[in-house]
Amino acid sequence: MHTSTSLRLRHAALAAILSTALVGPAGAQFGPPRPKPTGPWMNKSLPADQRADLIVAQMTLDEKISLLHGGGWGLIFAGPEAPPSKSVGGAGFIPGIPRLGIPDLQMADAAVGVTRSALFGRYSTALPSCVAEAASWNLDLAREYGALIGRELRDQGYNMTLGGGVNLAREPRNGRIFEYKGEDPVLAGRLVGAEMKALQEQGIVGDIKHYALNDQESGRSYVNVKVDKRAIRESDLLAFEIGVKESGAGAVMCSYNLLNGDYACENSYLLTDVLKKDFGFQGFVLSDWGGTHSTVKAALAGLDMEMPGNTYLADAFKKAVEGGQVPMARLDNMVHRILRSEFAVGLFDNSPERQVPDVFHGLEVAERVAEQSIVLLKNANAQLPLAVARVKTIAVIGSHADVGVLSGGGSAQVDPMGGNPVLQPADTPFFDRVIWHRSSPLKAIRAKAPHADVQYDGGTDPAAAARLAKASDVAIVFVSQHSSEGGDHPNLSLPHNQDALVSAVAAANPHTIVVLETGGAVTMPWIGQVSAAMEAWYPGIRGGEAIANILFGDVNPSAKLPLTFAKSEADLPHPKLTEQPPPASDKDMVEMFPGFKDNTRKFDVAYDEGLLVGYKWYDAKSKTPLFPFGFGLSYTTYEYSNLKASKDSVTFQVKNTGARAGAEIAEVYATLPAASGEQFNRLVAWEKVRLAPGESKSVTLRLDPFYLSIFNAEKDAWELVPGEYIIQAGASSRDLSLRGSVHMN
Ligand code: GLC
């Protein structure tokens, strides 16, 4: 993980704050339940907006303002009115108003599971990473993912998530790719929408973040992203538009960065013109932690909540309202949005039922997600699945595969059950901690092949690893790349000399299989030397078992890449990552810290590729990726035939032409008429089709005109360009065997 010295110092600052002011997990409401207040707003049969209007009418000025800011991690950021004793210990906490029955708002980060809970020793299911879930292309699984996280938030006394990351993988070196859903706005938007809708059905306020264009971590709190309107409406903002509309999420978290000169959390184009007016977003906008930079400008631009702390939307805000700079109507709307989102998911109606999480259910879901997320990238001469009867000696090499699988860090870090099996120095900065989950691939492989001799080598010495490989029938090399918010990868190469390790092992044994545990795409200079490779991402608490199930064929891989793997950084829109400028002084260094009040530092990143994110860039520039968007192999084969396209839908056949059952993600892409100015494909529909050997199914998918439209920046509106649309279907963005066309008026 690339962290410059300034970043390390900042991490140390954050770690120091965290460790000094944390308090115990009190806050459990023991004793007799509080009498429920009466009041017309408690009538469940009324619509959420009406209930919110009724209660706002009863609130004093101070009560209204008390809901616009809060504390975090049990810290007293919000002053005496948010005593840490009432926080359940999550990243955010806003005390309710008992006389009106307004509940405490207990927020926790929960990208891949409830995090920071284990600071007080509570168990959470560590699901596979978000980008892993995206590789399943499975909306039903996304719903299970969201429902599980929602249930476990309730179990631990939380009633709002801070998950729901959906920034596009525009910058493949971004340290938070693992928290997001890949590079395509339709795939990402639909997945996060399904996840957040299911989470809210558990009675939890949903969230979608980081709005918007927070597509790199370098200098995240003061990078000024420059990109044109049409480009972002058809890329990053389209993912948010679909996610917000399909989930009805109660909250959107605005991001640290600036967009075209204004901080996202005080950017009226983003927050009001697009999110609240165009998307029709009914919920509230909360800042990323420390992402608020003003009182009047932010409130008038559309920010509804400052987290954490009381610098801008507490006393200063009261003065602005009393002084007339902020109309009372805006304050009432801020409070309305927060409370209507709480009413909408039942926060006033269901008291928290704290309970031990359903651990077994969590393990079962985690394993299924991992099995549907592992992408088989190469399988020369059917190297896989391994035949237990034939393989007598197996070398397992690298990435602590003897004790666990890698986890992503930062606010998405679910604490490891039983502690981190790979010890690190106690003073390791917060964002530099590398945590592993105790799901051992070595143990799982030994369980699959009890009669084989399975030996482990740590991989730190390529020569030693090569010797073990040479003496084995097959060699399985685990390579890994840690990611965390707060930093980006300096390049797309595997760190710690792992490319040399793979090459040494492959030179010693032609039956070398590589398992990658990475945050996102990496380059693979050794891909031609190995016989098989699979991307397992950060596979979660049952990752070892899932990997073994795929290696030995108990599960037939079905996942496909939700983002492009480049051959080299030279092929990227930005061959070099735009790093933050080094600090000129200590003051500069502190200013880099998110939320620094008077952050005067800025540096520009121009996304000149515009809407050409991911595969669209490779298509438009005729570049060949290492592995294309939508690519993934199976242990069986499929055949596509008979495409028929109409204005509303496309129908085609998929047949399993192999000898074992499988599930094929059938993908549909459209090429717009030349008048659109977009001569490259875009994903418009897909379906995961389960097929027995020899079985054929007819697939009919709707062509949503919204996904076929372009954004007309002059008219500020979506429009369907009249003309000929090429509709193609196939196994990946670069393997479209069927083609048809339709004329749209
Ligand atoms: C962090 C992250 C955000 C998280 C928040 C609370 O800095 O950017 O994703 O939800 O702060 O932990």
Side-chain angles (χ1 to χ4, degrees):
M1 182 49 174
H2 169 66
T3 46
S4 59
T5 42
S6 61
L7 224 44
R8 284 184 186 286
L9 287 168
R10 284 190 302 133
H11 298 167
L14 179 62
I17 295 171
L18 277 177
S19 56
T20 50
L22 283 179
V23 287
Q29 281 81 23
F30 297 122
R34 250 199 320 261
K36 273 238 182 280
T38 54
W41 57 87
M42 294 308 284
N43 176 350
K44 291 184 200 174
S45 65
L46 296 178
D49 281 304
Q50 189 179 343
R51 297 176 76 178
D53 285 341
L54 287 166
I55 200 167
V56 171
Q58 301 294 322
M59 296 171 75
T60 66
L61 177 63
D62 286 337
E63 288 174 331
K64 292 175 185 175
I65 293 177
S66 76
L67 298 184
L68 308 184
H69 56 91
W73 297 294
L75 304 181
I76 312 177
F77 269 133
E81 78 274 16
S85 60
K86 288 186 61 183
S87 164
V88 172
F93 162 63
I94 297 181
I97 301 171
R99 81 174 183 90
L100 295 169
I102 298 176
D104 296 344
L105 195 52
Q106 303 275 6
M107 311 169 181
D109 280 295
V112 302
V114 184
T115 75
R116 292 202 186 91
S117 57
L119 279 178
F120 307 116
R122 275 171 283 177
Y123 174 83
S124 308
T125 300
L127 289 166
S129 64
C130 304
V131 76
E133 197 284 316
S136 75
W137 294 50
N138 185 338
L139 293 172
D140 291 334
L141 204 57
R143 280 185 270 276
E144 284 198 74
Y145 196 97
L148 183 140
I149 292 178
R151 181 63 258 178
E152 293 200 4
L153 282 160
R154 283 184 70 78
D155 295 342
Q156 296 178 22
Y158 297 110
N159 51 21
M160 178 173 167
T161 179
L162 296 170
V166 75
N167 297 82
L168 293 190
R170 177 186 286 274
E171 168 48 73
R173 293 156 292 213
N174 179 358
R176 299 191 82 167
I177 293 271
F178 77 96
E179 290 186 64
Y180 302 149
K181 306 277 185 188
E183 68 192 25
D184 181 80
V186 175
L187 179 65
R190 300 213 62 201
L191 286 167
V192 80
E195 178 186 328
M196 275 305 142
K197 186 170 167 47
L199 179 139
Q200 294 207 135
E201 285 162 5
Q202 297 296 322
I204 300 286
V205 178
D207 171 56
I208 297 187
K209 69 182 181 182
H210 305 83
Y211 185 73
L213 281 299
N214 177 186
D215 294 348
Q216 70 173 55
E217 287 301 287
S218 299
R220 62 174 173 168
S221 58
Y222 61 100
V223 62
N224 176 34
V225 172
K226 296 166 71 174
V227 60
D228 70 81
K229 257 188 197 178
R230 171 175 175 178
I232 51 179
R233 290 302 300 268
E234 292 193 32
S235 57
D236 290 71
L237 298 189
L238 178 56
F240 280 93
E241 180 164 4
I242 296 169
V244 161
K245 285 178 175 172
E246 298 204 353
S247 67
V252 164
M253 183 191 292
C254 50
S255 56
Y256 288 128
N257 58 289
L258 295 91
L259 175 68
N260 298 328
D262 280 325
Y263 282 108
C265 293
E266 54 185 38
N267 190 307
S268 58
Y269 173 69
L270 275 180
L271 303 184
T272 297
D273 301 350
V274 176
L275 179 63
K276 293 180 178 180
K277 286 185 180 150
D278 278 8
F279 297 1
F281 175 60
Q282 301 293 311
F284 64 98
V285 177
L286 74 161
S287 74
D288 197 341
W289 265 230
T292 309
H293 292 277
S294 62
T295 295
V296 176
K297 180 177 179 184
L300 297 182
L303 181 70
D304 300 305
M305 184 187 284
E306 165 189 18
M307 285 306 285
N310 47 15
T311 307
Y312 298 103
L313 295 189
D315 294 346
F317 188 72
K318 183 174 180 179
K319 287 193 185 71
V321 172
E322 288 171 333
Q325 291 98 328
V326 177
M328 179 61 80
R330 176 77 261 270
L331 169 56
D332 288 347
N333 178 254
M334 294 160 87
V335 179
H336 176 94
R337 285 173 172 274
I338 293 166
L339 294 178
R340 68 96 47 207
S341 300
E342 296 185 9
F343 280 118
V345 297
L347 252 54
F348 283 74
D349 311 320
N350 321 309
S351 54
E353 310 139 12
R354 295 183 70 162
Q355 66 176 24
V356 174
D358 182 342
V359 175
F360 294 118
H361 172 68
L363 293 173
E364 192 274 325
V365 173
E367 185 163 331
R368 236 171 342 106
V369 174
E371 287 164 355
Q372 291 197 43
S373 73
I374 295 171
V375 185
L376 182 58
L377 297 171
K378 179 176 183 181
N379 190 18
N381 313 316
Q383 170 68 62
L384 293 174
L386 295 175
V388 177
R390 284 207 304 274
V391 177
K392 297 295 176 223
T393 52
I394 301 174
V396 173
I397 298 164
S399 294
H400 301 289
D402 54 336
V403 293
V405 289
L406 185 57
S407 163
S411 56
Q413 178 67 65
V414 173
D415 285 277
M417 168 179 66
N420 189 358
V422 180
L423 294 184
Q424 280 194 295
D427 64 349
T428 304
F430 180 72
F431 287 138
D432 287 353
R433 295 184 321 166
V434 179
I435 303 280
W436 303 75
H437 288 302
R438 289 172 183 264
S439 166
S440 157
L442 175 64
K443 220 166 89 187
I445 289 167
R446 284 182 168 151
K448 290 287 177 193
H451 305 301
D453 171 13
V454 184
Q455 295 301 315
Y456 173 70
D457 178 284
T460 48
D461 169 7
R467 281 194 294 276
L468 176 63
K470 192 163 184 55
S472 307
D473 291 340
V474 297
I476 306 170
V477 190
F478 287 80
V479 293
S480 52
Q481 167 216 53
H482 183 255
S483 304
S484 162
E485 70 176 87
D488 296 317
H489 301 292
N491 51 51
L492 285 181
S493 303
L494 285 168
H496 315 312
N497 204 26
Q498 294 178 91
D499 286 338
L501 171 64
V502 176
S503 295
V505 169
N509 188 323
H511 302 289
T512 292
I513 299 150
V514 181
V515 179
L516 295 105
E517 297 175 35
T518 60
V522 290
T523 50
M524 304 180 204
W526 34 261
I527 192 67
Q529 300 160 329
V530 303
S531 62
M534 64 180 74
E535 174 60 68
W537 318 102
Y538 301 143
I541 192 66
R542 296 286 289 177
E545 291 78 7
I547 290 166
N549 284 337
I550 295 229
L551 284 169
F552 287 89
D554 296 321
V555 169
N556 184 2
S558 61
K560 296 203 170 173
L561 293 177
L563 46 79
T564 303
F565 276 52
K567 276 183 178 158
S568 94
E569 291 177 273
D571 291 332
L572 298 182
H574 305 270
K576 282 308 287 169
L577 175 73
T578 310
E579 298 258 5
Q580 62 201 24
S585 68
D586 285 353
K587 176 177 178 300
D588 277 340
M589 191 281 292
V590 173
E591 278 195 4
M592 287 175 163
F593 190 72
F596 186 80
K597 290 194 187 67
D598 313 319
N599 194 329
T600 55
R601 293 169 63 79
K602 310 266 186 307
F603 72 104
D604 291 346
V605 170
Y607 288 153
D608 295 332
E609 71 279 1
L611 50 87
L612 297 177
V613 178
Y615 66 94
K616 294 168 185 170
W617 167 261
Y618 291 85
D619 284 1
K621 305 297 179 188
S622 307
K623 290 175 181 278
T624 304
L626 177 63
F627 295 110
F629 174 81
F631 175 81
L633 298 175
S634 166
Y635 292 149
T636 185
T637 50
Y638 301 100
E639 194 177 81
Y640 289 71
S641 61
N642 300 337
L643 181 138
K644 290 182 185 58
S646 74
K647 272 204 286 264
D648 316 305
S649 68
V650 57
T651 298
F652 52 91
Q653 303 285 326
V654 186
K655 180 175 183 178
N656 179 341
T657 49
R660 55 172 295 162
E664 169 71 345
I665 296 167
E667 302 166 26
V668 178
Y669 294 78
T671 314
L672 275 51
S676 68
E678 299 187 14
Q679 293 307 282
F680 43 83
N681 291 340
R682 51 162 74 176
L683 177 74
V684 291
W686 72 90
E687 179 158 311
K688 192 163 200 168
V689 191
R690 298 188 190 294
L691 293 166
E695 184 182 9
S696 177
K697 272 183 189 167
S698 174
V699 179
T700 297
L701 299 175
R702 177 170 175 263
L703 292 178
D704 186 332
F706 178 38
Y707 299 156
L708 294 170
S709 300
I710 65 166
F711 187 78
N712 182 322
E714 287 65 50
K715 296 179 192 163
D716 228 13
W718 289 98
E719 64 185 23
L720 195 63
V721 174
E724 203 70 29
Y725 287 72
I726 307 297
I727 305 296
Q728 300 181 81
S732 86
S733 62
R734 286 296 174 96
D735 177 9
L736 298 171
S737 46
L738 303 181
R739 181 189 176 96
S741 68
V742 288
H743 189 87
M744 301 284 189
N745 301 325

